[in-house]
Amino acid sequence: MINYQGILNSISADCSLSKDRGKVATYIPELAKTDSSKFGIHLVDSNKNNFQAGDSETVFSIQSISKVLSLAQAMGLIGETLWTRLDVEPSGDPFNHLSLLELENGIPRNPLINAGAIVIADILVSNLKNPKSDFLQFVRNLAGDDDIDFNREVAASEKRTGFRNYAAANLLKSYGNLKNDVETVLDFYFHQCAIEMNCSQLTKAFYLFMNRGKCQKDKTYLTLRQVKRINALMLTCGFYDEAGEFAFEVGLPGKSGVGGGIVALLPEKFCVATWSPGLNTKGNSKLGMEALEQLTTATAQSIF
Ligand code: GLU
């Protein structure tokens, strides 16, 4: 039996002593208000045992972590046809990079960079009756928690300053890879990114990716093939232009967000979420990455 609680306590103690915590994202002004001294970690194992340490019950902006959940909902709705509008290759570029999109004629490299997630947002806007509330309900159902909500100030803040996302959406539109109008799709995208969750809720929402497509309440949302694909995308594309480094140091599929959250999983073993708002130069949570490296080293468990 692995002593997860002991390992999380020791990781949390180490993180509380860390002097270099990275820098909180400021390009979305609302996020700049986040307290950089926070650190939380929560792990749920395949027997639904929960372990946590630090600020694991404090909610934060999940930002790009939401891209995995929107992809899961879109795959459930339209299946394989999705891949006519998106590729599945790592970009090796920052999340908001645009030049590849133009070079590759409006087909985003993958669904976890902004341009790709905006195409997924477009698919959800086309296929859901009440896109924002239906997506929110999907996330609540996955996590089994109706308290999960948008932070509307964060969404409004990003709407005012999201110039690169407007550029990406307009480029997509110019290539015919956006069916709805730019404002509607970005309003949806900014809201999905502005969902708030804590580490414990995140591990519940991502449980199905560890559990062959079944959520904690045993309802099946994804086929095995879909789970395999989403986990492969998280491993190869989940950490901006640091996906290689994350695989190298941590060795798990996962996804980060500029709110400082990271969620990662070992299929059929555990799902873990960390939160520390300070980011490294690539936009990933600095302490979160260090914590997960410690976790896979201490437990000797990773996909490799
Ligand atoms: N809403 C953010 C953006 O589009 C998400 C970025 C992220 O978390 O990587 O810039």
Side-chain angles (χ1 to χ4, degrees), residues 2-78:
I2 295 173
N3 177 9
Y4 284 122
Q5 190 57 55
I7 293 170
L8 297 199
N9 290 346
S10 132
I11 291 173
S12 179
D14 278 5
C15 286
S16 68
L17 298 176
S18 180
K19 295 239 163 16
D20 182 3
R21 310 179 77 88
K23 288 203 173 65
V24 172
T26 53
Y27 78 100
I28 301 174
E30 263 316 288
L31 293 185
K33 299 177 182 165
T34 319
D35 175 358
S36 65
S37 68
K38 301 284 185 195
F39 175 83
I41 185 163
H42 186 113
L43 183 147
V44 59
D45 71 12
S46 51
N47 296 318
K48 299 181 194 161
N49 297 310
N50 288 277
F51 309 91
Q52 53 204 32
D55 302 300
S56 60
E57 298 289 334
T58 310
V59 296
F60 58 90
S61 195
I62 69 167
Q63 292 297 320
S64 272
I65 295 173
S66 67
K67 293 170 180 170
V68 180
L69 303 173
S70 59
L71 172 65
Q73 192 177 29
M75 272 177 128
L77 286 167
I78 69 162

Side-chain angles (χ1 to χ4, degrees), residues 27-28 62-65 67 95-96 114 158 165 189-190 193 240 255-259:
Y27 78 100
I28 301 174
I62 69 167
Q63 292 297 320
S64 272
I65 295 173
K67 293 170 180 170
F95 61 98
N96 57 5
N114 285 9
E158 186 167 9
N165 287 323
Y189 172 74
F190 294 144
C193 289
Y240 317 122
K255 183 74 197 89
S256 61
V258 293

Side-chain angles (χ1 to χ4, degrees), residues 3-303:
N3 177 9
Y4 284 122
Q5 190 57 55
I7 293 170
L8 297 199
N9 290 346
S10 132
I11 291 173
S12 179
D14 278 5
C15 286
S16 68
L17 298 176
S18 180
K19 295 239 163 16
D20 182 3
R21 310 179 77 88
K23 288 203 173 65
V24 172
T26 53
Y27 78 100
I28 301 174
E30 263 316 288
L31 293 185
K33 299 177 182 165
T34 319
D35 175 358
S36 65
S37 68
K38 301 284 185 195
F39 175 83
I41 185 163
H42 186 113
L43 183 147
V44 59
D45 71 12
S46 51
N47 296 318
K48 299 181 194 161
N49 297 310
N50 288 277
F51 309 91
Q52 53 204 32
D55 302 300
S56 60
E57 298 289 334
T58 310
V59 296
F60 58 90
S61 195
I62 69 167
Q63 292 297 320
S64 272
I65 295 173
S66 67
K67 293 170 180 170
V68 180
L69 303 173
S70 59
L71 172 65
Q73 192 177 29
M75 272 177 128
L77 286 167
I78 69 162
E80 297 293 310
T81 48
L82 193 140
W83 304 117
T84 57
R85 297 177 58 185
L86 288 152
D87 208 342
V88 294
E89 295 299 334
S91 70
D93 278 332
F95 61 98
N96 57 5
H97 212 249
L98 294 172
S99 51
L100 267 181
L101 186 61
E102 172 132 54
L103 273 176
E104 296 175 357
N105 302 317
I107 300 293
R109 272 285 167 111
N110 66 68
L112 301 183
I113 54 169
N114 285 9
I118 292 169
V119 169
I120 298 292
D122 186 49
I123 291 168
L124 292 181
V125 167
S126 295
N127 287 278
L128 295 173
K129 222 185 205 158
N130 301 297
K132 282 188 284 188
S133 53
D134 291 354
F135 176 67
L136 182 61
Q137 195 55 51
F138 174 73
V139 175
R140 287 174 171 173
N141 292 346
L142 288 184
D145 189 338
D146 279 346
D147 288 342
I148 294 169
D149 212 341
F150 302 118
N151 180 323
R152 289 169 179 81
E153 278 86 57
V154 172
S157 178
E158 186 167 9
K159 196 174 223 172
R160 284 192 292 274
T161 57
F163 308 114
R164 296 189 72 87
N165 287 323
Y166 276 96
N170 278 295
L171 255 183
L172 289 164
K173 188 83 185 161
S174 77
Y175 284 106
N177 201 5
L178 208 70
K179 309 295 175 206
N180 299 282
D181 67 80
V182 165
E183 276 302 333
T184 311
V185 176
L186 286 183
D187 180 61
F188 177 92
Y189 172 74
F190 294 144
H191 277 82
Q192 75 164 71
C193 289
I195 286 178
E196 289 188 328
M197 286 201 231
N198 59 36
C199 293
S200 156
Q201 290 167 326
L202 267 176
T203 59
K204 292 182 177 69
F206 274 68
Y207 192 87
L208 79 164
F209 303 112
M210 178 266 280
N211 191 38
R212 303 167 73 89
K214 267 192 200 172
C215 76
Q216 274 210 334
K217 292 196 167 152
D218 281 339
K219 182 168 172 202
T220 301
Y221 283 89
L222 296 169
T223 63
L224 275 182
R225 183 181 158 110
Q226 289 171 331
V227 170
K228 177 183 78 176
R229 294 189 160 184
I230 294 176
N231 286 346
L233 285 165
M234 281 199 262
L235 183 77
T236 53
C237 314
F239 294 85
Y240 317 122
D241 44 340
E242 208 175 24
E245 180 76 12
F246 192 82
F248 187 81
E249 298 286 346
V250 179
L252 298 174
K255 183 74 197 89
S256 61
V258 293
I262 299 182
V263 56
L265 57 105
L266 182 60
E268 290 169 61
K269 286 279 192 295
F270 64 76
C271 180
V272 61
T274 59
W275 175 51
S276 172
L279 309 179
N280 65 19
T281 52
K282 305 278 187 169
N284 293 309
S285 170
K286 183 166 186 304
L287 294 189
M289 268 182 82
E290 289 170 16
L292 292 173
E293 188 279 325
Q294 279 192 47
L295 176 73
T296 51
T297 302
T299 58
Q301 292 201 96
S302 82
I303 63 164

